[in-house]
Amino acid sequence: QVQVVESGGGLVQPGGSLRLSCAASGSIFSINSMGWYRQAPGKQRELVAAIRWSGSINYANVADSVSGRFTISRQNAKNTVYLQMNSLKPEDTAVYYCKAGATGGVYWGQGTQVTVSS
């Protein structure tokens, strides 16, 4: 079993920045990928950024809608993945969820609210 917990959401003005964290625990050695998704009211959940690894090599990708503004990174020693969000826009407002992909299945966090508003 794997548990994931998100943190770092909040209210920010347009143009501002936030860093989300996703900490994994449990059977962490079974995890081979983690990703950030978001879901705005009335919309489907969408992939924002994902990172997978093989040994010490990380492979990351971000959605076109956030490319150049969002960055995903991983701190292996802390079993944590980060989503650095810069130049935030009102349309980035959503609940952001972390997902861990493991050999035993897929595990989701409870989500953290990000609101971009003046």
Side-chain angles (χ1 to χ4, degrees):
Q1 283 282 47
V2 173
Q3 297 80 42
V4 292
V5 177
E6 306 97 334
S7 61
L11 173 64
V12 63
Q13 292 186 342
S17 298
L18 279 176
R19 188 176 79 159
L20 305 183
S21 300
C22 174
S25 61
S27 302
I28 57 173
F29 294 106
S30 69
I31 301 173
N32 49 43
S33 67
M34 294 181 75
W36 286 98
Y37 292 71
R38 68 185 181 186
Q39 187 166 19
K43 294 188 177 181
Q44 290 188 332
R45 191 172 297 189
E46 62 175 358
L47 174 67
V48 176
I51 187 167
R52 61 181 177 88
W53 51 88
S54 177
S56 61
I57 301 176
N58 295 323
Y59 305 89
N61 64 282
V62 296
D64 290 343
S65 59
V66 303
S67 181
R69 300 188 297 121
F70 291 12
T71 303
I72 188 170
S73 61
R74 171 181 170 237
Q75 188 167 13
N76 187 37
K78 292 188 176 181
N79 308 313
T80 300
V81 170
Y82 303 97
L83 183 68
Q84 178 66 43
M85 306 185 294
N86 299 327
S87 301
L88 282 161
K89 304 175 181 181
E91 51 263 43
D92 295 318
T93 295
V95 178
Y96 284 70
Y97 297 91
C98 180
K99 183 183 83 171
T103 53
V106 174
Y107 303 89
W108 290 90
Q110 292 299 307
T112 184
Q113 176 71 46
V114 172
T115 301
V116 184
S117 175
S118 55

